[in-house]
Amino acid sequence: MLKTVLPPACYTEQSWFDLEREKLFGQLWLFAGFTYQLSVDNSFITRRLNGMPVLVQNCKGQIRAFRNACAHRGMPIQTEPCGTRKMICPYHGWGYDGEGALRGVPNGTLYGMCQAEKDELRLQGFAVVKIGIFVFVNLSAEPINIDDQYDEAVQRALLAISANAAPQASYTHFEKRFNWKLNFENILDWNHFQFIHPNSFAALLEYEPSGALKRPNSQRSHWFGPEGELGEVQMPSGHQDLNQLNLRDISRVIQAQLPYEPRWFSSLIEHTADPGAFLNLHLFPNLNIGSLNGETFYVQQLCPASPNTTDVHSWVFTARLKPDAAFAPHLLWGMHHAEMNVIQEDAVLLVQLQEALESADTVGVLGSQENHLAAMGIWYMNHLKGTTEQ
């Protein structure tokens, strides 16, 4: 049995939340959106990441990211969640180029600025990395290498999903009253499936007599078979060395056996990449990606809003459809309905857990199968405080 690492205060107190914003979400790579949302010149996404208004825009084929705030009065350059529009402030018409430099000031003589002053005005830029269809932004002035956050197995899995993903997605977001870490820990904790989701998600999976998830037979998988792009990816063992941890150890690629039966839409799918398997990516700090048989996919992002509230962003999409198959919006609606049901089953208990931690002296204990939760806690404490002591 393992001692818990994180104190209750890190789930409930503002001081910990502020430290997370500085040392986690202000330093690590954060998921911002998908490349298919940025497929043409001047297409854009706006997000609020770590409390920061962020604009990601296609600038003549290059994906750029900026603080979504005009250098004049701080007005957002783009005011919609996504769309196609040049980087021109809607308030006073100031325009910017793909490097964030000021390139147009209507009624410019009114401002009394010389050219040198105009040349100094620009949008605050952020680093951007694309891995397949997934776009990540780093808000730090000195961003870490994304290879230091996500290892080769994670990046190869993202590329495999990207190669099979359809460009149509269903998206929603909502607020839940619990700390983001409770949800991320819940994602790491496969043992809760049978108890919280007995008639939904758990009913799809198969288990060993011990209660552990069964590993799938990779011979049928186009991803994990001998010739597959993920054939050499090693699944994490149940136990990590808690004395030697780095950031890349916190994110994981796991598989479980999910018996494959063709569904009504399977004949529409161009390529069933992973029959018989559930693939799950736990990407620290706040991203959860899953695939069922390589036919359907979900993405969840847990954005901290306060110590006890989380903005949950949810996307679902299918594998690419055959060229002659018509897009079926009702398919995505049904997928999202099922996904939301699983999310809500978790949320009911996580809200109560959050309330219980408000007055707790300790979180409790961890079983040996929760070694990866302890690993996350140890890295978190070392990074934020330089110690694992409560």
Side-chain angles (χ1 to χ4, degrees), residues 31-32 46-49 170-176 183 286-288 298-304 310-316 336 339-340 343:
F31 174 67
T46 60
R47 295 291 308 276
R48 183 164 288 274
L49 300 175
S170 173
Y171 165 74
T172 189
H173 70 280
F174 44 89
E175 183 181 270
K176 291 296 183 182
N183 203 343
N286 65 340
L287 195 61
N288 178 32
Y298 65 82
V299 175
Q300 299 170 6
Q301 187 178 28
L302 314 169
C303 294
T310 298
D311 290 328
V312 181
H313 298 261
S314 172
W315 297 262
V316 299
H336 226 156
E339 175 69 3
M340 291 297 296
I343 290 173

Side-chain angles (χ1 to χ4, degrees), residues 143-291:
I144 64 171
N145 192 313
I146 200 165
D147 295 341
D148 294 330
Q149 183 166 331
Y150 298 133
D151 65 15
E152 182 183 4
V154 165
Q155 296 192 44
R156 287 173 63 182
L158 289 173
L159 290 172
I161 290 172
S162 299
N164 286 271
Q168 302 90 359
S170 173
Y171 165 74
T172 189
H173 70 280
F174 44 89
E175 183 181 270
K176 291 296 183 182
R177 294 195 61 78
F178 49 69
N179 184 274
W180 68 275
K181 291 187 296 301
L182 291 181
N183 203 343
F184 193 81
E185 290 169 341
N186 181 71
I187 290 164
L188 293 176
D189 174 21
W190 54 262
N191 192 42
H192 83 274
F193 295 169
Q194 297 178 77
F195 305 100
I196 298 182
H197 313 296
N199 300 313
S200 54
F201 186 54
L204 304 176
L205 302 171
E206 292 193 353
Y207 297 84
E208 301 288 355
S210 65
L213 291 169
K214 277 189 178 180
R215 289 284 179 88
N217 183 346
S218 63
Q219 296 302 310
R220 298 177 61 195
S221 174
H222 297 281
W223 284 343
F224 289 91
E227 305 299 322
E229 55 262 57
L230 302 180
E232 297 180 359
V233 169
Q234 297 296 315
M235 295 296 112
S237 64
H239 299 279
Q240 293 176 271
D241 184 350
L242 300 181
N243 297 312
Q244 296 183 2
L245 289 172
N246 60 51
L247 175 58
R248 302 198 321 169
D249 296 325
I250 312 305
S251 297
R252 311 190 314 152
V253 179
I254 67 167
Q255 270 190 307
Q257 186 161 304
L258 190 154
Y260 179 65
E261 292 290 340
R263 289 166 283 184
W264 68 265
F265 58 85
S266 295
S267 61
L268 306 177
I269 298 296
E270 187 176 85
H271 181 57
T272 301
D274 201 23
F278 164 58
L279 176 67
N280 198 194
L281 281 62
H282 309 143
L283 304 190
F284 190 78
N286 65 340
L287 195 61
N288 178 32
I289 302 173
S291 163

Side-chain angles (χ1 to χ4, degrees), residues 21-32 49-50 52 54-56 64-67 124-130 135-150 247 285:
R21 292 187 66 173
E22 175 191 353
K23 293 196 171 184
L24 288 183
F25 296 94
Q27 295 180 1
L28 302 185
W29 290 92
L30 307 175
F31 174 67
L49 300 175
N50 198 32
M52 180 85 68
V54 174
L55 167 63
V56 185
R64 306 294 192 193
F66 306 97
R67 180 182 173 91
Q124 179 184 354
F126 302 122
V128 181
V129 166
K130 296 182 295 179
V135 179
F136 295 87
V137 170
N138 193 297
L139 304 179
S140 173
E142 298 180 354
I144 64 171
N145 192 313
I146 200 165
D147 295 341
D148 294 330
Q149 183 166 331
Y150 298 133
L247 175 58

Side-chain angles (χ1 to χ4, degrees), residues 48-160:
R48 183 164 288 274
L49 300 175
N50 198 32
M52 180 85 68
V54 174
L55 167 63
V56 185
Q57 181 134 350
N58 181 325
C59 301
K60 297 182 179 180
Q62 299 296 313
I63 306 302
R64 306 294 192 193
F66 306 97
R67 180 182 173 91
N68 191 19
C70 180
H72 175 209
R73 299 281 295 280
M75 178 72 192
I77 301 295
Q78 307 290 13
T79 58
E80 298 295 325
C82 59
T84 303
R85 181 178 173 274
K86 292 183 178 181
M87 290 196 297
I88 298 175
C89 177
Y91 200 6
H92 296 95
W94 287 28
Y96 299 86
D97 67 14
E99 301 299 323
L102 182 64
R103 284 293 175 261
V105 180
N107 303 324
T109 57
L110 296 177
Y111 295 92
M113 293 186 296
C114 66
Q115 188 58 47
E117 290 173 320
K118 291 180 182 179
D119 290 343
E120 292 180 354
L121 295 172
R122 59 189 310 112
L123 303 178
Q124 179 184 354
F126 302 122
V128 181
V129 166
K130 296 182 295 179
I131 304 178
I133 64 171
F134 299 90
V135 179
F136 295 87
V137 170
N138 193 297
L139 304 179
S140 173
E142 298 180 354
I144 64 171
N145 192 313
I146 200 165
D147 295 341
D148 294 330
Q149 183 166 331
Y150 298 133
D151 65 15
E152 182 183 4
V154 165
Q155 296 192 44
R156 287 173 63 182
L158 289 173
L159 290 172

Side-chain angles (χ1 to χ4, degrees), residues 285-353:
N286 65 340
L287 195 61
N288 178 32
I289 302 173
S291 163
L292 280 64
N293 296 305
E295 287 190 342
T296 63
F297 304 88
Y298 65 82
V299 175
Q300 299 170 6
Q301 187 178 28
L302 314 169
C303 294
S306 76
N308 60 4
T309 55
T310 298
D311 290 328
V312 181
H313 298 261
S314 172
W315 297 262
V316 299
F317 48 94
T318 68
R320 288 196 311 270
L321 302 179
K322 294 177 180 176
D324 59 347
F327 171 59
H330 60 287
L331 168 56
L332 293 183
W333 182 91
M335 289 168 54
H336 226 156
H337 179 77
E339 175 69 3
M340 291 297 296
N341 182 52
V342 174
I343 290 173
Q344 182 59 23
E345 288 172 345
D346 284 323
V348 168
L349 292 185
L350 293 180
V351 168
Q352 296 183 54
L353 178 54

